[in-house]
């Protein structure tokens, strides 16, 4: 299985899924290995509960046998873990989780087979915002946004969230005390959506580092039109879809759950236009509906792993056509192993692979701009 297929099977960002591991854990004989890798490498830093559950499953031959009866792409650790939590499994020791699975196996199977990992992370707007602001400023026009692989469309509201960009110190941490707090404050850029009451929007925190190619925006760019495409758009007015989005957030990541709920509340007020279908089939027609007097930006995060090489090439060609015919901009925020460059390579030239591992590469109009935290938590300018 290729790394790309493996990533697609896992179906989410490196952090969310244990993708990019480089192991052969997705092969038929390797399901236990896949879970062990997830439980010992991917999960421990983010969720001790998921780490324990995945290690428990890896050592549970009977359960592995049952999981192996599902189609390959349904065996990914995150899917069964999220399905169980969707159905009410509580954070706790593996033995209780195992009992829960036994008691609810038919329902867990049904959820695994009918759902997929569609984690929708509003935090990614933090790593997109500087590029969006720069495009809008350079064009002197507000933005029209299309997100391909939009899930529920929460990343289509960069103008409705608040931001806190904190510049990293070049020479290490500040230490502690009042002076340190002042120093950190001096490196912080805060932005709030126009006219919004504090507390009614999530504030996205992002640590920035590296030589900033342009000043961080002084204000949030205006968005006059927004739309998304997804194979299966999630409906924020459907309680099951909302519960599924919540179940996809890892158990101990309360701040992400809080952020998700705040973003959902904003999107529920005026849901974006979401078109159901394959991004390659729908993009041109949707782009034709964007207002001509706005700067059109097509963007995507954690989506390209789902496409095979042919699908990604077709998408690249469409983006080239849209750039030529419509002046459309393109922001790609993806795990580096699935980013195909114009020269056919899939990593950034002259970059140590380890620097990118577990993080995303942000490309602006095909050019590497930054390495981004997979949930928008950091932005390292290139
Ligand atoms: C991991 S989610 C990421 C969602 C969103 N981009 C974000 O960053 O929060 C990937 C989404 O891509 C969608 N997707 C995968 N392949 C697609 C395709 N060929 N066309 C449209 N959507 C697709 C999936 O249904 C899923 O909702």
């Amino acid at each position: 299985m290729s790394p790309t297929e493996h990533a697609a099977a896992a179906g989410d960002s490196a952090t969310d899924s244990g993708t990019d591991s480089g192991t052969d854990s997705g092969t038929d004989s390797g399901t236990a290995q896949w879970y062990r890798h997830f439980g010992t490498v991917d999960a421990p830093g983010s969720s001790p509960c998921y780490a324990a559950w995945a290690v428990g499953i890896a050592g549970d031959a009977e359960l592995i046998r049952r999981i192996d009866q599902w189609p390959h792409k349904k065996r990914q650790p995150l899917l069964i873990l999220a399905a169980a939590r969707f159905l009410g499994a509580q954070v706790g020791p593996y033995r209780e989780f195992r009992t829960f699975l036994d008691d609810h196996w038919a329902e867990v199977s049904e959820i695994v087979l009918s759902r997929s990992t569609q984690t929708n992370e509003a935090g990614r707007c933090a790593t997109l915002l500087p590029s969006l602001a720069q495009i809008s400023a350079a064009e002197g026009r507000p933005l029209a946004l299309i997100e391909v692989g939009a899930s529920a469309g929460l990343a289509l509201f960069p103008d409705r969230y608040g931001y806190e960009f904190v510049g990293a110190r070049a020479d290490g941490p500040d230490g502690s005390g009042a002076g340190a707090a002042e120093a950190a404050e001096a490196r912080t850029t805060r932005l709030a959506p126009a006219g919004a009451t504090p507390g009614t929007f999530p504030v996205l925190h992002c640590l920035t580092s590296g030589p900033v190619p342009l000043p961080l925006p002084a204000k949030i760019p205006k968005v006059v039109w927004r739309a998304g495409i997804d194979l299966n758009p999630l409906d924020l007015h459907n309680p099951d879809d909302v519960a599924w989005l919540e179940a996809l957030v890892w158990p101990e990541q309360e701040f992400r759950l809080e952020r998700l709920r705040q973003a959902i509340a904003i999107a529920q007020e005026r849901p974006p236009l979401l078109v159901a279908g394959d991004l390659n089939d729908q993009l041109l027609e949707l782009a034709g509906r964007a207002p001509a007097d706005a700067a059109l930006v097509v963007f995507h995060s954690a989506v390209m792993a789902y496409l095979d090489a042919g699908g990604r090439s077709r998408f690249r060609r469409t983006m080239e056509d849209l750039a030529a015919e419509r002046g459309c901009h393109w922001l790609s925020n993806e795990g580096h192993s699935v980013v195909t460059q114009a020269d056919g390579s899939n990593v950034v030239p002259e970059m140590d692979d380890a620097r990118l591992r577990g993080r995303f590469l942000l490309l602006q109009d095909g050019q590497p701009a930054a390495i981004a935290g997979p949930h928008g938590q950091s932005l390292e300018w290139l």
Side-chain angles (χ1 to χ4, degrees):
M1 182 180 217
S2 73
T4 299
E5 288 166 329
H6 187 183
D12 208 338
S13 73
T15 304
D16 282 340
S17 62
T19 59
D20 273 357
S21 64
T23 66
D24 189 27
S25 48
T27 59
D28 281 355
S29 60
T31 304
Q33 196 188 337
W34 193 354
Y35 278 74
R36 187 164 294 107
H37 188 278
F38 181 87
T40 55
V41 177
D42 299 315
S46 306
S47 170
C49 170
Y50 271 8
W53 287 0
V55 169
I57 293 172
D60 191 330
E62 208 278 314
L63 197 48
I64 292 290
R65 188 191 55 73
R66 281 194 242 163
I67 291 171
D68 273 341
Q69 288 170 5
W70 293 332
H72 185 273
K73 68 177 183 181
K74 297 292 184 179
R75 296 175 204 162
Q76 56 176 288
L78 188 57
L79 193 49
I80 181 175
L81 300 179
R85 289 182 59 245
F86 175 79
L87 292 166
Q90 299 296 311
V91 172
Y94 177 69
R95 133 182 122 262
E96 286 170 19
F97 175 66
R98 178 62 154 90
T99 303
F100 183 93
L101 291 180
D102 281 343
D103 293 346
H104 299 83
W105 188 252
E107 297 146 274
V108 170
S109 285
E110 191 189 325
I111 299 298
V112 164
L113 296 176
S114 61
R115 294 252 178 208
S116 59
T117 48
Q118 291 193 265
T119 308
N120 202 183
E121 182 47 77
R124 290 174 180 141
C125 286
T127 47
L128 299 174
L129 188 85
S131 297
L132 292 173
Q134 193 231 337
I135 291 167
S136 179
E139 296 238 351
R141 299 190 285 171
L143 299 169
L145 300 179
I146 294 180
E147 183 181 20
V148 296
S151 184
L154 299 180
L156 283 163
F157 294 89
D159 54 330
R160 302 290 307 278
Y161 305 145
Y163 299 87
E164 192 174 87
F165 293 99
V166 181
R169 253 180 63 142
D171 54 351
D174 286 323
S176 56
E182 273 171 30
E185 186 61 28
R187 298 192 311 277
T188 301
T189 301
R190 291 194 179 80
L191 299 166
T197 310
T200 62
F201 52 84
V203 177
L204 312 181
H205 300 268
C206 181
L207 188 67
T208 62
S209 58
V212 181
L214 69 166
L216 285 168
K219 63 182 174 66
I220 297 172
K222 189 171 179 194
V223 177
V224 290
W225 186 85
R226 62 195 99 223
I229 303 168
D230 201 283
L231 286 175
N232 177 41
L234 293 180
D235 175 1
L236 294 175
H237 289 289
N238 175 338
D240 272 358
D241 281 2
V242 170
W244 181 240
L245 284 171
E246 292 189 358
L248 285 165
V249 176
W250 295 20
E252 286 95 344
Q253 299 193 322
E254 285 299 323
F255 74 99
R256 285 185 64 211
L257 192 57
E258 176 66 15
R259 181 163 75 193
L260 174 72
R261 288 177 175 157
Q262 287 179 308
I264 286 174
I266 286 172
Q268 280 174 333
E269 281 169 23
R270 216 173 308 155
L273 167 63
L274 290 180
V275 176
D278 186 283
L279 59 91
N280 272 320
D281 295 337
Q282 303 293 336
L283 180 54
L284 275 181
E285 199 272 329
L286 188 58
R289 292 159 70 181
D293 54 356
L296 178 61
V297 182
V298 173
F299 69 95
H300 49 89
S301 299
V303 174
M304 287 298 129
Y306 291 80
L307 274 61
D308 61 17
R312 292 199 297 276
S313 297
R314 186 176 159 203
F315 177 66
R316 171 178 282 281
R317 284 195 300 277
T318 304
M319 290 310 305
E320 286 165 356
D321 290 348
L322 279 173
E325 290 160 18
R326 172 74 165 76
C328 175
H329 295 272
W330 176 17
L331 295 181
S332 168
N333 184 35
E334 298 285 343
H336 69 290
S337 63
V338 297
V339 176
T340 307
Q341 305 289 300
D343 65 1
S345 69
N346 67 1
V347 290
V348 178
E350 296 168 28
M351 179 163 296
D352 178 2
D353 201 51
R355 201 168 147 206
L356 286 161
R357 192 158 290 277
R359 299 202 281 168
F360 283 4
L361 185 62
L362 179 68
L363 300 172
Q364 185 169 336
D365 294 325
Q367 295 303 314
I371 301 172
H375 294 142
Q377 66 272 50
S378 63
L379 195 51
E380 181 186 340
W381 298 106
L382 293 173

